Amino acid sequence: MKKSMKTQFLLLVAALAVGCGAPKELPNGGIWPDDSGVHVNAHGGGILKQGDTYYWYGQFMIEGELGNTAQVGVSCYSSKDLLNWKNEGIALAVSEDPGSDIAKGSIIERPKVIYNARTGKYVMWFHLELLGNGYKSARCGIAVSDTPTGPFTYLRSMRPNAGHYALNATPYHKRNDNYPPAQRFTGGVLPSPIDQGNMNIHGRDMAGGQMSRDMNLFVDTDGSAYLIHASEENSTLHISRLTDDYLDTDSLYVRLFPGRFHEAPAMFKRGGKYYMITSDCTGWAPNAARSMCADEILGEWRELGNPCVGEDADLTFHGQSTYVLQVGEGDAARYIFMADRWTPENAIDGRYLWLPISFEGERPVIRWQDTFCGLK
């Protein structure tokens, strides 16, 4: 593309320098070349495994600050070994119609795809901000495809769980007079932690649906699927169960850690327990990761602290969580922490960190490694 030719050329040169074709490892924080020698362009992404193939979906960025908005769409790459990535093209393209929810210039972030065995459909969810609305829309976008590489057909956007309170909503949240005008949040920076007695965002948004920004999807071993998302002006995480077709939330959801301000949730399951890794809310700037676990996905969650150890652990090695990939099953399963190093001043040049997760008791531990070695 003309608008990013210089950057693409520089990335191509760097990719050739690290060696493309059949890499045996990929440099964390470096260039990850695809089958054309161009840096993989799939930011804020996630992985779907079908058969022996891994599909990586992410935000396709362009050069400069404009690249932080959706100028192209959601990309897709495929691999057999997590090292050699084939560019499968744009799985979901933006619309040239400025009235479309996914108009060029809107914000499409953190796309995730799951497969519904009952319907045979590949279902994509993503955080959507409507064109010209900044980050006020806080919606989910939903698209479907008959194949993992697309093209995906955009269906609609919405705020989850409209008309329903969370399972663990308190009597305060359900009061009819629970949001006097003087206490309404009108923008700006929320106090942290929020004074829950003075600012009932959950009750405010019940009728129209709860806010949804940084998000992820998780499919449990029984086939039930869940949306995990930052809600209530980013102050509170929500976990929402999806309908059987994965195309909507089914009104069963919980609020987690009110007033703690978590972003970038990445969920996985190990040994019958549910785990999540998140970040704090500091915009594009890195911060210390957080980890948590629960015995039931909609049950009580407890924080376990920063999973990262070593130099720059308090900055998550200058990255932010986007997904945890499980490789293998049962006792042989391994878990890979996927993170982005954002470069908002030149969005296309974002880099990737894929690091193994080990465990000390029930606590996940992430240590720096210079390279990612695929399925080894």
Side-chain angles (χ1 to χ4, degrees):
M1 292 178 296
K2 184 176 181 180
K3 53 183 170 291
S4 60
M5 285 181 62
K6 179 180 178 181
T7 298
Q8 290 281 18
F9 174 75
L10 293 174
L11 293 177
L12 173 58
V13 170
L16 292 172
V18 301
C20 21
K24 296 181 179 179
E25 56 188 28
L26 293 170
N28 279 313
I31 296 295
W32 286 27
D34 66 10
D35 58 330
S36 298
V38 177
H39 185 47
V40 171
N41 197 334
H43 309 271
I47 303 288
L48 172 70
K49 185 172 186 279
Q50 287 291 91
D52 64 351
T53 303
Y54 295 88
Y55 297 93
W56 180 1
Y57 305 88
Q59 301 158 230
F60 187 97
M61 305 293 211
I62 68 166
E63 191 173 24
E65 294 184 6
L66 185 63
N68 299 310
T69 62
Q71 299 296 314
V72 179
V74 176
S75 56
C76 177
Y77 293 79
S78 65
S79 176
K80 304 288 187 182
D81 60 4
L82 301 179
L83 294 175
N84 296 276
W85 291 98
K86 177 184 177 183
N87 186 350
E88 300 284 359
I90 300 302
L92 176 69
V94 297
S95 173
E96 296 296 332
D97 176 5
S100 169
D101 284 359
I102 57 170
K104 184 176 181 179
S106 61
I107 295 173
I108 294 175
E109 295 180 337
R110 299 186 178 272
K112 304 294 185 289
V113 174
I114 52 180
Y115 176 69
N116 190 301
R118 186 177 67 84
T119 65
K121 297 290 186 181
Y122 295 86
V123 182
M124 178 188 294
W125 286 62
F126 51 90
H127 165 214
L128 174 67
E129 300 290 347
L130 302 177
L131 180 64
N133 207 31
Y135 275 83
K136 297 178 182 178
S137 301
R139 300 177 73 83
C140 295
I142 305 163
V144 297
S145 174
D146 293 327
T147 65
T149 56
F152 281 74
T153 300
Y154 175 72
L155 298 181
R156 64 191 179 97
S157 72
M158 54 83 171
R159 283 190 171 186
N161 301 304
H164 301 278
Y165 290 108
L167 291 175
N168 55 353
T170 66
Y172 168 74
H173 293 126
K174 300 178 182 180
R175 282 168 37 192
N176 290 330
D177 61 344
N178 61 1
Y179 213 70
Q183 297 173 347
R184 289 181 180 163
F185 176 74
T186 57
V189 179
L190 286 169
S192 179
I194 286 178
D195 180 349
Q196 295 294 310
N198 291 328
M199 194 172 292
N200 178 15
I201 302 170
H202 185 65
R204 177 198 71 182
D205 291 341
M206 187 276 289
Q210 299 296 323
M211 302 178 77
S212 183
R213 290 195 177 122
D214 278 13
M215 52 74 60
N216 218 314
L217 298 176
F218 174 78
V219 179
D220 209 344
T221 48
D222 63 0
S224 58
Y226 297 83
L227 168 71
I228 307 101
H229 55 115
S231 192
E232 301 183 35
E233 306 290 354
N234 279 8
S235 71
T236 303
L237 282 174
H238 287 190
I239 299 179
S240 304
R241 193 173 69 181
L242 301 187
T243 52
D244 288 345
D245 59 10
Y246 300 170
L247 299 180
D248 201 351
T249 53
D250 74 354
S251 79
L252 195 68
Y253 70 110
V254 293
R255 307 171 67 239
L256 302 183
F257 309 111
R260 283 285 285 126
F261 289 84
H262 292 264
E263 279 189 330
M267 182 181 286
F268 62 103
K269 189 176 184 179
R270 175 181 181 267
K273 292 184 182 293
Y274 300 89
Y275 290 85
M276 207 170 358
I277 297 175
T278 69
S279 77
D280 198 352
C281 296
T282 54
W284 295 110
N287 55 63
R290 300 168 178 175
S291 64
M292 56 216 70
C293 73
D295 297 324
E296 298 180 6
I297 194 167
L298 297 179
E300 294 293 325
W301 285 75
R302 55 192 180 277
E303 290 200 61
L304 303 175
N306 184 357
C308 300
V309 297
E311 186 177 355
D312 290 332
D314 59 339
L315 295 174
T316 315
F317 313 115
H318 301 276
Q320 185 186 39
S321 49
T322 185
Y323 195 76
V324 172
L325 172 62
Q326 177 179 328
V327 176
E329 301 292 337
D331 294 339
R334 296 185 295 117
Y335 301 88
I336 299 167
F337 172 70
M338 296 170 49
D340 290 276
R341 278 186 178 174
W342 302 109
T343 55
E345 68 282 358
N346 190 25
I348 195 173
D349 195 25
R351 306 296 177 90
Y352 310 109
L353 311 177
W354 288 21
L355 300 168
I357 302 175
S358 60
F359 289 84
E360 296 178 357
E362 71 173 7
R363 177 175 173 259
V365 176
I366 303 170
R367 292 181 171 85
W368 175 258
Q369 291 190 353
D370 289 338
T371 58
F372 170 67
C373 298
L375 295 176
K376 294 179 182 178

